[in-house]
Amino acid sequence: MAAMFTCCFGCCGEGGSGHIPLKEMPTVQLDTHHMGTDVVIVKSGRRICGTGGCLANAPLHQNKSYFEFKIQSSGVWGIGVATQKVNLNQVPLGRDTNSLVLRHDGSVYHNDEEKNRLPANSLPQEGDIVGITYDHVEMNLYLNGKNMHCPASGIRGTVYPVVYVDDSAILDCQFSDFYHTPPQGFEKILFEQQIF
Protein backbone atom coordinates (compact mmCIF):
# COMPACT_ATOMS: atom_id res chain seq x y z
CA MET A 1 0.00 0.00 0.00
CA ALA A 2 2.83 2.39 0.85
CA ALA A 3 4.40 1.65 -2.54
CA MET A 4 1.20 2.71 -4.28
CA PHE A 5 1.14 6.09 -2.53
CA THR A 6 4.82 6.62 -3.23
CA CYS A 7 4.31 5.96 -6.92
CA CYS A 8 1.22 8.12 -7.08
CA PHE A 9 2.83 11.06 -5.31
CA GLY A 10 6.12 10.54 -7.10
CA CYS A 11 4.40 10.75 -10.48
CA CYS A 12 3.05 14.16 -9.66
CA GLY A 13 6.61 15.34 -9.56
CA GLU A 14 8.61 17.10 -7.02
CA GLY A 15 7.29 20.60 -6.93
CA GLY A 16 5.05 19.93 -9.97
CA SER A 17 1.39 20.82 -9.91
CA GLY A 18 0.27 17.62 -11.60
CA HIS A 19 -1.58 19.66 -14.23
CA ILE A 20 -0.96 19.10 -17.90
CA PRO A 21 -1.09 22.39 -19.84
CA LEU A 22 -3.60 22.43 -22.67
CA LYS A 23 -2.35 23.47 -26.08
CA GLU A 24 -3.93 26.64 -27.35
CA MET A 25 -5.76 26.11 -30.65
CA PRO A 26 -4.09 27.91 -33.55
CA THR A 27 -5.81 30.84 -35.23
CA VAL A 28 -6.70 30.72 -38.91
CA GLN A 29 -4.89 33.62 -40.61
CA LEU A 30 -2.85 34.44 -43.67
CA ASP A 31 0.31 32.33 -43.80
CA THR A 32 3.55 34.30 -44.14
CA HIS A 33 5.28 31.04 -45.16
CA HIS A 34 3.02 30.75 -48.24
CA MET A 35 2.94 34.20 -49.83
CA GLY A 36 4.38 36.07 -52.79
CA THR A 37 7.72 37.83 -52.38
CA ASP A 38 6.21 41.35 -52.67
CA VAL A 39 3.26 40.72 -50.35
CA VAL A 40 2.89 42.48 -47.00
CA ILE A 41 0.78 40.85 -44.26
CA VAL A 42 -0.25 42.98 -41.26
CA LYS A 43 -2.97 43.14 -38.57
CA SER A 44 -2.10 39.78 -37.01
CA GLY A 45 -2.28 37.93 -40.32
CA ARG A 46 -5.60 39.42 -41.38
CA ARG A 47 -4.66 42.19 -43.88
CA ILE A 48 -2.88 41.85 -47.22
CA CYS A 49 -1.31 44.59 -49.33
CA GLY A 50 1.57 44.88 -51.78
CA THR A 51 1.68 42.70 -54.90
CA GLY A 52 1.04 38.96 -55.03
CA GLY A 53 -0.95 36.27 -53.29
CA CYS A 54 -1.12 34.49 -49.97
CA LEU A 55 -2.69 31.28 -48.70
CA ALA A 56 -4.34 30.89 -45.32
CA ASN A 57 -2.59 28.63 -42.81
CA ALA A 58 -5.41 26.04 -42.67
CA PRO A 59 -6.64 23.75 -45.45
CA LEU A 60 -10.36 23.28 -46.01
CA HIS A 61 -10.72 19.77 -44.57
CA GLN A 62 -14.28 20.00 -43.30
CA ASN A 63 -17.28 19.43 -45.57
CA LYS A 64 -18.63 22.99 -45.64
CA SER A 65 -16.39 26.00 -45.01
CA TYR A 66 -17.16 29.72 -44.95
CA PHE A 67 -14.85 32.74 -44.84
CA GLU A 68 -15.03 36.45 -45.75
CA PHE A 69 -12.93 39.24 -47.21
CA LYS A 70 -13.51 42.97 -46.77
CA ILE A 71 -12.30 45.27 -49.53
CA GLN A 72 -10.52 48.05 -47.66
CA SER A 73 -9.03 49.71 -50.74
CA SER A 74 -9.92 48.93 -54.35
CA GLY A 75 -7.43 47.95 -57.03
CA VAL A 76 -6.63 44.61 -58.60
CA TRP A 77 -7.52 41.70 -56.31
CA GLY A 78 -8.82 38.15 -56.24
CA ILE A 79 -10.16 35.74 -53.62
CA GLY A 80 -11.05 32.07 -53.58
CA VAL A 81 -9.33 28.74 -53.04
CA ALA A 82 -5.99 27.31 -54.19
CA THR A 83 -3.63 24.40 -53.68
CA GLN A 84 -0.14 24.86 -52.26
CA LYS A 85 1.24 24.46 -55.79
CA VAL A 86 -0.17 27.85 -56.89
CA ASN A 87 2.37 30.49 -57.98
CA LEU A 88 1.69 33.32 -55.51
CA ASN A 89 3.95 35.73 -57.41
CA GLN A 90 1.92 35.56 -60.62
CA VAL A 91 -1.25 37.67 -60.52
CA PRO A 92 -4.00 37.39 -61.43
CA LEU A 93 -4.59 33.89 -60.11
CA GLY A 94 -6.97 31.51 -61.86
CA ARG A 95 -4.63 30.92 -64.80
CA ASP A 96 -3.94 27.26 -63.98
CA THR A 97 -5.45 24.22 -62.27
CA ASN A 98 -4.12 25.32 -58.86
CA SER A 99 -6.54 28.17 -58.15
CA LEU A 100 -10.23 29.06 -58.44
CA VAL A 101 -10.81 32.77 -57.78
CA LEU A 102 -13.23 35.65 -58.01
CA ARG A 103 -11.41 38.57 -59.62
CA HIS A 104 -12.07 42.25 -58.95
CA ASP A 105 -13.91 42.58 -62.28
CA GLY A 106 -16.54 40.02 -61.19
CA SER A 107 -15.20 37.11 -63.25
CA VAL A 108 -14.50 33.72 -61.67
CA TYR A 109 -11.47 31.95 -63.17
CA HIS A 110 -9.96 28.48 -62.99
CA ASN A 111 -7.41 26.98 -65.42
CA ASP A 112 -7.46 30.20 -67.49
CA GLU A 113 -11.16 29.72 -68.19
CA GLU A 114 -14.00 31.97 -67.04
CA LYS A 115 -16.24 29.67 -64.97
CA ASN A 116 -18.88 32.26 -64.04
CA ARG A 117 -19.40 35.99 -63.59
CA LEU A 118 -21.14 38.20 -61.04
CA PRO A 119 -24.00 40.32 -62.39
CA ALA A 120 -22.72 43.68 -63.70
CA ASN A 121 -24.69 45.57 -61.05
CA SER A 122 -23.16 43.45 -58.24
CA LEU A 123 -19.43 44.08 -58.55
CA PRO A 124 -17.76 44.33 -55.12
CA GLN A 125 -16.73 47.88 -54.18
CA GLU A 126 -14.57 49.39 -51.46
CA GLY A 127 -16.10 48.59 -48.07
CA ASP A 128 -18.02 45.53 -49.32
CA ILE A 129 -17.82 42.10 -47.69
CA VAL A 130 -17.42 39.09 -50.00
CA GLY A 131 -18.27 35.75 -48.40
CA ILE A 132 -17.12 32.44 -49.84
CA THR A 133 -18.54 28.98 -49.24
CA TYR A 134 -16.72 25.85 -50.33
CA ASP A 135 -17.98 22.26 -50.03
CA HIS A 136 -15.18 20.32 -51.83
CA VAL A 137 -17.09 20.51 -55.10
CA GLU A 138 -18.37 24.04 -55.53
CA MET A 139 -17.38 27.55 -54.49
CA ASN A 140 -20.20 30.05 -54.03
CA LEU A 141 -20.05 33.81 -53.53
CA TYR A 142 -21.95 36.16 -51.26
CA LEU A 143 -21.88 39.96 -51.48
CA ASN A 144 -22.72 41.73 -48.21
CA GLY A 145 -24.56 38.61 -47.04
CA LYS A 146 -26.57 38.09 -50.25
CA ASN A 147 -26.12 34.90 -52.31
CA MET A 148 -24.88 35.90 -55.77
CA HIS A 149 -25.92 32.54 -57.32
CA CYS A 150 -22.55 32.37 -59.02
CA PRO A 151 -21.22 28.83 -58.43
CA ALA A 152 -17.88 27.64 -59.80
CA SER A 153 -16.04 24.35 -59.59
CA GLY A 154 -13.17 22.37 -61.09
CA ILE A 155 -10.31 22.61 -58.61
CA ARG A 156 -9.05 19.32 -57.17
CA GLY A 157 -6.95 18.31 -54.18
CA THR A 158 -6.37 19.93 -50.81
CA VAL A 159 -7.23 23.63 -51.03
CA TYR A 160 -6.70 26.68 -48.85
CA PRO A 161 -8.33 30.10 -48.86
CA VAL A 162 -6.31 32.38 -51.13
CA VAL A 163 -6.20 36.13 -51.74
CA TYR A 164 -4.08 38.25 -54.08
CA VAL A 165 -3.64 42.00 -54.46
CA ASP A 166 -2.03 44.48 -56.86
CA ASP A 167 -2.42 48.11 -57.91
CA SER A 168 -2.93 49.45 -54.33
CA ALA A 169 -5.66 46.99 -53.31
CA ILE A 170 -5.93 46.18 -49.59
CA LEU A 171 -8.11 43.34 -48.33
CA ASP A 172 -8.91 42.09 -44.84
CA CYS A 173 -9.63 38.40 -44.16
CA GLN A 174 -12.28 37.26 -41.72
CA PHE A 175 -11.96 33.60 -40.77
CA SER A 176 -14.18 33.85 -37.65
CA ASP A 177 -16.42 36.49 -36.01
CA PHE A 178 -18.04 37.10 -39.39
CA TYR A 179 -19.73 40.27 -40.58
CA HIS A 180 -22.59 38.13 -41.95
CA THR A 181 -24.08 34.87 -40.73
CA PRO A 182 -22.72 31.92 -42.74
CA PRO A 183 -25.28 30.10 -44.92
CA GLN A 184 -27.00 27.15 -43.24
CA GLY A 185 -24.65 24.18 -42.80
CA PHE A 186 -21.47 26.20 -43.38
CA GLU A 187 -19.07 27.20 -40.63
CA LYS A 188 -15.70 28.76 -39.95
CA ILE A 189 -12.57 26.92 -41.03
CA LEU A 190 -11.47 24.32 -38.51
CA PHE A 191 -7.98 22.97 -38.07
CA GLU A 192 -7.90 19.20 -38.56
CA GLN A 193 -7.59 18.45 -34.83
CA GLN A 194 -10.72 20.57 -34.16
CA ILE A 195 -12.82 18.44 -36.52
CA PHE A 196 -12.43 15.19 -34.61
Side-chain angles (χ1 to χ4, degrees):
M1 184 75 144
M4 186 173 84
F5 284 118
T6 305
C7 177
C8 192
F9 291 122
C11 293
C12 291
E14 299 171 13
S17 67
H19 293 118
I20 299 170
L22 294 175
K23 279 176 77 172
E24 193 171 307
M25 294 308 295
T27 302
V28 179
Q29 61 189 29
L30 294 175
D31 188 351
T32 55
H33 299 292
H34 292 96
M35 68 181 199
T37 54
D38 294 326
V39 168
V40 178
I41 303 296
V42 294
K43 291 205 168 224
S44 300
R46 289 190 44 233
R47 177 169 286 178
I48 183 172
C49 48
T51 299
C54 187
L55 296 175
N57 63 344
L60 303 180
H61 283 304
Q62 74 225 53
N63 291 336
K64 295 184 173 187
S65 304
Y66 177 78
F67 48 99
E68 297 175 332
F69 292 92
K70 182 173 184 179
I71 303 160
Q72 294 291 359
S73 181
S74 58
V76 173
W77 56 266
I79 55 178
V81 294
T83 70
Q84 284 190 327
K85 294 179 182 177
V86 69
N87 182 348
L88 296 168
N89 290 306
Q90 184 181 20
V91 295
L93 298 181
R95 295 185 202 187
D96 59 24
T97 60
N98 297 311
S99 58
L100 171 63
V101 295
L102 167 67
R103 295 177 176 174
H104 70 282
D105 65 359
S107 62
V108 181
Y109 267 81
H110 170 68
N111 202 20
D112 213 19
E113 180 184 336
E114 186 172 312
K115 294 292 192 174
N116 213 329
R117 180 173 281 280
L118 292 176
N121 63 347
S122 296
L123 296 181
Q125 305 295 317
E126 209 167 280
D128 283 345
I129 309 296
V130 180
I132 294 179
T133 59
Y134 184 72
D135 64 5
H136 293 283
V137 174
E138 195 171 78
M139 181 177 81
N140 279 285
L141 306 166
Y142 295 77
L143 182 60
N144 298 318
K146 181 182 174 194
N147 188 341
M148 293 288 95
H149 303 286
C150 188
S153 60
I155 195 164
R156 303 246 188 277
T158 301
V159 298
Y160 297 73
V162 69
V163 56
Y164 71 82
V165 292
D166 196 8
D167 197 27
S168 302
I170 300 172
L171 273 70
D172 284 356
C173 308
Q174 204 68 29
F175 297 115
S176 62
D177 303 321
F178 300 117
Y179 292 98
H180 300 282
T181 303
Q184 188 171 2
F186 289 86
E187 61 183 340
K188 70 180 184 177
I189 300 165
L190 301 173
F191 278 91
E192 197 166 14
Q193 68 246 32
Q194 292 175 301
I195 295 172
F196 299 114

